[in-house]
Amino acid sequence: MIGLIGIILSLVLLIFFAYRGVNVIILAPLMALLATAFAGGLPMLATYTQVFMPALGNYLITYFPLFLLGALFGKMMDDSGAARAIAYFIVDKLGDTKAILAIVLACGILTYGGVSLFVVAFAVFPIAAALFREAGVPKRLIPATIALGSFTFTMTALPGTPQIQNAIPAPFFGTNAFAAPGLGMIAAVIMFGGGTAWLMYRSKKLTAAGETYLPADAPKGPGLLSRVTGRGSDRGERGSTTISSGPAPESQGTATATATTGEPVATDQSTLPRPSVLIAFLPIFVVIALNYVLVTWVFPAMETDYLAGDAYGNTDIDTVGGIWAIVVALVVATLVVVLTNLKRFGDVKESVNTGTMASFLPIFNTASEVGYGAVIASLPAFRTVRDAVLGISGNPVISLAVAVNVLAGITGSASGGMSIALQTLGEQFRGLADTQGISLELMHRVTVLAAGGFDALPHNGAVVTVLAICGLTHRQSYKDIFVVAVAIPLVALVVVITLGTLFGGF
């Protein structure tokens, strides 16, 4: 009983201190050792060096290339102007009368193409601000609009998405990023359609109540954006842009705040024009198409028996093929961005270095959470937790969905919660699926969808960052984020579980 109290206390403190900004890299091992102390009689140092660190290291070994290449690709898309060119293209085609739909699609295309949601948020927000202002859509809806396009259907549902959340289950279930494509598309339609409908309903309701782009109590002066980016307001309104249904501005830009309103405007990074639409979209196409070609035709046709040898970890192509495909696709797509936009980069070396460094904190945060989960799983009291999770339902699909969702909510991280669940219970869930004849593709898709539910609670890092970029608070905007990034994805998850249980993975 004391051991179980220790586990619960460590989880509560993990949430509390993470929400208050304590670095998870330091926090996770401390909370793991706290739970170990409550277990009584277990060696603390051995738990840290022989349980926590190997779990952290194994996660780095498996997924570091994906974090590294994802961050690098996103940085190249940002610095080349391609990300902004895609966003302006969508806005130009749909016009300011469809402001919400335009921003959702712009974010969705970029994240489905492998661009980090943080890069997308910084790139799209200035465009969204100008577009919403012109259309009279309340600013408080921008965070939810970015959230819907960036970390819902393109992160967890659309088949083939190269986001890390869709790659993590592959080694556990022997699947790839295109697992259960039909169910994924159904979930994507529910999230996209339901989320867009909600935001349009909210826009009409707020405007009918007299709210304009900025409410009467909106703060004046430089907002959170300038503090997040480190850019002051002394740059004034240089390069400010008003977006209408006409041609979009052609210079590359980034976000800063005006001295008078604290609102973001686009400022020129280069005198060169942004890349053409075809050049901007080409890397996105390369990521998706090459990923599919590799997992469908190339890798299955290769001679890979050597993977069964000790030198290569006694594995097989079904286990590593999904990750290999995304790695190759991101490498090629990054080269395409550089080669087609070489003159647009101020300093390619600086972009590479910055993108590389940006990958370290996210993967070490998640790996530390995995280490924490490994320690918890090693404690005697965890058997009670394991039996409770596995006993939630006779259907392992339901048990898996609950376990991943709860852990994602506790950690405030889709990848962290999913990784802990799979590291601690993955073998049991796969064994149950094999025994009951349940499709492993269904298990993959449900795992990813479940990770994209409670992860977006208020302490989630992406939620906090998007609100900060937009200069808004939880009180102003979180209600709509919750609906589009938590409630509707949970509906989609229930639908997928129901259909998968009745018809299997498809």
Side-chain angles (χ1 to χ4, degrees):
M1 183 63 182
I2 294 179
L4 186 59
I5 292 174
I7 292 176
I8 296 172
L9 178 62
S10 71
L11 286 173
V12 171
L13 292 177
L14 180 67
I15 296 172
F16 177 80
F17 286 113
Y19 184 65
R20 293 185 176 276
V22 178
N23 194 309
V24 174
I25 298 174
I26 297 296
L27 185 60
L30 292 177
M31 293 303 101
L33 293 179
L34 175 65
T36 303
F38 272 79
L42 297 179
M44 303 283 281
L45 288 176
T47 298
Y48 178 68
T49 61
Q50 307 307 120
V51 180
F52 183 93
M53 287 306 299
L56 181 151
N58 287 335
Y59 188 87
L60 291 175
I61 290 170
T62 303
Y63 298 110
F64 177 67
L66 299 184
F67 279 84
L68 171 64
L69 293 170
L72 190 58
F73 176 64
K75 181 62 176 173
M76 293 304 182
M77 287 289 288
D78 188 21
D79 286 359
S80 68
R84 196 170 298 276
I86 291 172
Y88 272 120
F89 172 77
I90 301 294
V91 168
D92 180 42
K93 292 301 179 184
L94 292 178
D96 57 20
T97 59
K98 297 182 176 64
I100 291 174
L101 179 61
I103 297 304
V104 170
L105 289 176
C107 293
I109 290 172
L110 289 169
T111 49
Y112 186 57
V115 181
S116 162
L117 71 90
F118 296 104
V119 171
V120 171
F122 273 105
V124 171
F125 173 58
I127 303 171
L131 186 63
F132 276 44
R133 187 187 302 112
E134 176 116 342
V137 178
K139 181 187 177 184
R140 71 171 71 235
L141 298 179
I142 293 180
T145 304
I146 293 175
L148 175 59
S150 300
F151 46 97
T152 60
F153 62 97
T154 57
M155 184 181 83
T156 64
L158 285 180
T161 176
Q163 297 295 330
I164 184 65
Q165 291 81 6
N166 195 36
I168 289 174
F172 293 92
F173 299 122
T175 49
N176 59 58
F178 293 90
L183 292 173
M185 288 300 299
I186 291 171
V189 169
I190 294 172
M191 293 183 202
F192 173 75
T196 303
W198 170 261
L199 291 173
M200 290 181 174
Y201 159 75
R202 284 281 290 158
S203 176
K204 291 180 181 178
K205 183 176 180 180
L206 290 171
T207 52
E211 182 169 337
T212 58
Y213 174 72
L214 287 176
D217 61 349
K220 303 298 181 183
L224 286 173
L225 178 68
S226 61
R227 296 198 292 273
V228 170
T229 60
R231 300 186 179 99
S233 59
D234 57 325
R235 297 177 70 173
E237 296 192 21
R238 183 175 68 84
S240 62
T241 302
T242 298
I243 298 177
S244 65
S245 57
E250 288 302 318
S251 61
Q252 296 180 39
T254 188
T256 188
T258 69
T260 55
T261 67
E263 280 297 285
V265 294
T267 58
D268 296 341
Q269 286 180 320
S270 170
T271 56
L272 294 173
R274 287 193 303 273
S276 68
V277 173
L278 291 178
I279 293 297
F281 272 99
L282 181 60
I284 304 292
F285 173 78
V286 168
V287 170
I288 304 303
L290 186 55
N291 186 4
Y292 182 78
V293 168
L294 289 171
V295 298
T296 305
W297 295 302
V298 176
F299 291 157
M302 291 171 57
E303 174 55 54
T304 57
D305 290 344
Y306 62 87
L307 290 173
D310 292 340
Y312 298 102
N314 300 302
T315 187
D316 54 54
I317 192 62
D318 289 337
T319 301
V320 299
I323 291 179
W324 282 10
I326 297 176
V327 166
V328 173
L330 287 173
V331 168
V332 174
T334 301
L335 291 175
V336 169
V337 175
V338 174
L339 294 177
T340 56
N341 297 280
L342 198 55
K343 294 182 179 179
R344 295 185 178 90
F345 285 97
D347 186 345
V348 174
K349 181 181 71 175
E350 179 63 23
S351 295
V352 171
N353 290 344
T354 303
T356 299
M357 296 303 294
S359 69
F360 291 158
L361 185 59
I363 189 169
F364 272 96
N365 277 338
T366 305
S368 292
E369 290 172 343
V370 170
Y372 167 82
V375 171
I376 297 301
S378 71
L379 302 178
F382 181 74
R383 286 194 292 269
T384 303
V385 178
R386 181 196 61 198
D387 293 343
V389 170
L390 296 177
I392 289 172
S393 170
N395 184 346
V397 178
I398 296 175
S399 300
L400 175 62
V402 172
V404 173
N405 235 315
V406 170
L407 286 169
I410 288 171
T411 60
S413 167
S415 56
M418 182 195 315
S419 297
I420 293 173
L422 292 177
Q423 292 284 350
T424 56
L425 296 169
E427 289 186 10
Q428 289 93 327
F429 281 125
R430 175 157 186 171
L432 289 171
D434 289 336
T435 300
Q436 298 184 27
I438 296 172
S439 166
L440 294 179
E441 289 200 6
L442 173 61
M443 297 291 282
H444 175 124
R445 188 54 53 204
V446 167
T447 301
V448 182
L449 289 171
F454 286 141
D455 72 307
L457 292 177
H459 61 292
N460 173 266
V463 170
V464 173
T465 300
V466 169
L467 287 171
I469 291 171
C470 296
L472 293 164
T473 65
H474 281 77
R475 182 179 62 81
Q476 292 170 309
S477 296
Y478 183 72
K479 171 184 175 181
D480 298 299
I481 294 176
F482 179 85
V483 172
V484 303
V486 178
I488 294 176
L490 288 177
V491 172
L493 174 63
V494 171
V495 171
V496 167
I497 291 174
T498 303
L499 292 176
T501 301
L502 293 174
F503 306 108
F506 60 89

